[in-house]
């Protein structure tokens, strides 16, 4: 059964405890954790609270930036990712989300080689600790500084090159769902899919990420979800609702709307 969850970025202004209490009260079974919030609250306190509320950790975001686009060197980014793997293990997270980093003036071949080198090192630690790594492609319209991996095909090529059994991917419908070919790629993606994130938008991403309430945009979320469920996907389904269109909305309303939408979308196939 797929676990229904929501990512902490959806309630960005709240503190960790407020997030967890509200998600549980709205009937979510899982939570996507944001590392800065975890660091502020403390891993041990996070684990205790989530155990008390019976919330599973569907993801921990994020590690990566191996190309230096965020100002860190390669070795620093790799060490941080290894630390994140250990945190993910302690939190019993379903997966650790990994972002490649922007091209940072590298030629694409060099950026790809750098990413694969980092993923091989981090994957070795992930295999030791039993943690799944999930590489996430970002739409180029809003994620050039976050990732030079922008589509499902490129992501699959990286997974093949690295060859770790613990390395898979995140499919975020906001980033890849507006691609006209997305449905045709789902059979190739499903066996590598660790996390399905749901995001919607009223137009193709341009500039900052600007998601709308699920179902209010133009992303074919229903088709994507139902296709993946039919293909046997049984991993977490995690909503991420963030951006200018929703930042002024009451968080309780956002959570209620999101839970109702997920129930409508998935019916009895999930819990």
């Amino acid at each position: 059964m797929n676990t229904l969850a929501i990512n902490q970025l959806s309630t960005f202004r709240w503190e960790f405890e407020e997030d967890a209490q509200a998600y549980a009260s709205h009937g979510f079974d899982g939570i996507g954790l944001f590392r800065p919030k975890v660091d502020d609250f403390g891993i041990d306190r996070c684990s205790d609270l989530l155990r008390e509320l019976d919330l599973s950790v569907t993801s921990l975001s994020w590690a990566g930036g191996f190309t230096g686009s965020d100002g860190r060197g390669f070795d620093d980014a790799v060490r941080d990712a290894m630390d994140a793997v250990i945190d993910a293990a302690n939190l019993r997270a379903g997966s650790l989300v990994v972002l490649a980093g922007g091209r940072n003036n590298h030629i694409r071949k060099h950026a790809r080689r750098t990413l694969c080198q980092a993923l091989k090192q981090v994957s070795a630690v992930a295999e030791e600790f039993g943690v799944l790594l999930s590489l996430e492609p970002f739409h180029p319209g809003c994620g050039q500084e976050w990732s030079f991996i922008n589509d499902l095909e490129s992501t699959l090529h990286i997974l093949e090159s690295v060859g770790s059994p613990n390395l898979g991917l995140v499919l975020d419908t906001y980033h890849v769902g507006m691609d006209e070919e997305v449905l045709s790629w789902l059979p190739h993606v499903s066996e590598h899919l660790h996390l399905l994130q749901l995001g919607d938008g009223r137009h193709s991403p341009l500039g900052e990420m600007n998601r709308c309430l699920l179902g209010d945009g133009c992303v074919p979320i229903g088709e994507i979800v139902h296709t993946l469920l039919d293909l046997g996907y049984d991993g977490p389904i995690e909503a991420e609702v963030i951006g200018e269109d929703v930042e002024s909305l009451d968080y309780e309303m956002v959570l209620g709307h999101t839970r109702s939408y997920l129930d409508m979308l998935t019916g009895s196939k999930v819990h």
Side-chain angles (χ1 to χ4, degrees), residues 7 9 34 59-65 67 69-70 96-103 108 115 134-156 158 168-179 195 197-199 204-211 238 240 242:
N7 192 283
L9 288 174
F34 183 48
S59 69
L60 178 63
S61 297
W62 54 271
T67 57
S69 59
D70 61 0
L96 171 63
V97 176
V98 179
L99 302 183
R103 276 183 60 184
R108 186 167 291 275
L115 172 61
S134 302
L135 184 62
E136 180 173 4
F138 257 50
H139 192 286
C142 67
Q144 292 284 23
E145 74 276 24
W146 296 101
S147 179
F148 69 92
I149 302 297
N150 305 131
D151 56 56
L152 294 173
E153 182 177 11
S154 300
T155 308
L156 290 175
I158 295 295
L169 62 88
V170 181
L171 190 158
D172 186 325
T173 60
Y174 179 75
H175 288 299
V176 302
M178 298 185 206
D179 184 339
L195 176 66
Q197 284 189 326
L198 302 187
S204 185
L206 182 63
E208 295 292 326
M209 279 193 291
N210 188 22
R211 305 170 187 235
E238 181 183 293
E240 186 174 307
I242 186 172

Side-chain angles (χ1 to χ4, degrees), residues 1-270:
M1 299 289 282
N2 307 84
T3 298
L4 295 183
I6 189 159
N7 192 283
Q8 284 187 297
L9 288 174
S10 303
T11 51
F12 186 75
R13 296 187 302 273
W14 280 356
E15 301 294 328
F16 188 99
E17 187 169 9
E18 195 170 5
D19 288 342
Q21 296 280 3
Y23 298 173
S25 69
H26 281 273
F28 290 98
D29 298 300
I31 180 172
L33 298 181
F34 183 48
R35 288 180 69 193
K37 287 195 176 189
V38 172
D39 290 342
D40 287 345
F41 197 65
I43 285 184
D44 290 342
R45 293 179 68 201
C46 290
S47 296
D48 290 344
L49 178 61
L50 297 179
R51 190 180 306 111
E52 177 185 327
L53 295 172
D54 199 23
L55 281 174
S56 63
V57 178
T58 48
S59 69
L60 178 63
S61 297
W62 54 271
F66 304 114
T67 57
S69 59
D70 61 0
R72 291 181 300 175
F74 176 83
D75 290 340
D76 286 340
V78 169
R79 277 193 295 268
D80 176 71
M82 291 178 176
D83 289 342
V85 166
I86 296 171
D87 289 345
N90 289 329
L91 291 162
R92 298 182 180 180
S95 67
L96 171 63
V97 176
V98 179
L99 302 183
R103 276 183 60 184
N104 196 30
N105 296 319
H106 300 302
I107 61 171
R108 186 167 291 275
K109 185 176 181 181
H110 176 70
R112 186 177 184 276
R113 186 167 58 247
T114 299
L115 172 61
C116 289
Q117 179 184 349
L119 289 175
K120 287 176 181 178
Q121 294 182 39
V122 179
S123 291
V125 179
E127 290 171 27
E128 179 184 350
F129 282 88
V131 171
L132 297 178
L133 303 178
S134 302
L135 184 62
E136 180 173 4
F138 257 50
H139 192 286
C142 67
Q144 292 284 23
E145 74 276 24
W146 296 101
S147 179
F148 69 92
I149 302 297
N150 305 131
D151 56 56
L152 294 173
E153 182 177 11
S154 300
T155 308
L156 290 175
H157 287 162
I158 295 295
L159 302 188
E160 182 180 0
S161 295
V162 176
S164 169
N166 286 53
L167 180 61
L169 62 88
V170 181
L171 190 158
D172 186 325
T173 60
Y174 179 75
H175 288 299
V176 302
M178 298 185 206
D179 184 339
E180 293 179 356
E181 299 181 353
V182 64
L183 294 177
S184 67
W185 277 103
L186 297 184
H188 307 285
V189 163
S190 60
E191 64 181 292
H192 304 284
L193 187 60
H194 291 164
L195 176 66
L196 174 58
Q197 284 189 326
L198 302 187
D200 206 349
R202 293 191 170 90
H203 52 75
S204 185
L206 182 63
E208 295 292 326
M209 279 193 291
N210 188 22
R211 305 170 187 235
C212 61
L213 292 174
L214 296 180
D216 285 0
C218 61
V219 179
I221 295 176
E223 289 181 85
I224 294 171
V225 171
H226 293 149
T227 299
L228 286 170
L229 292 179
D230 289 342
L231 287 166
Y233 175 70
D234 60 0
I237 299 175
E238 181 183 293
E240 186 174 307
V241 186
I242 186 172
E244 186 178 354
D245 283 358
V246 294
E247 65 184 7
S248 63
L249 301 178
D250 178 73
Y251 282 162
E252 291 288 349
M253 186 279 284
V254 171
L255 294 177
H257 178 278
T258 301
R259 179 69 212 206
S260 296
Y261 179 83
L262 293 179
D263 287 341
M264 177 275 295
L265 183 67
T266 59
S268 60
K269 294 185 179 181
V270 300

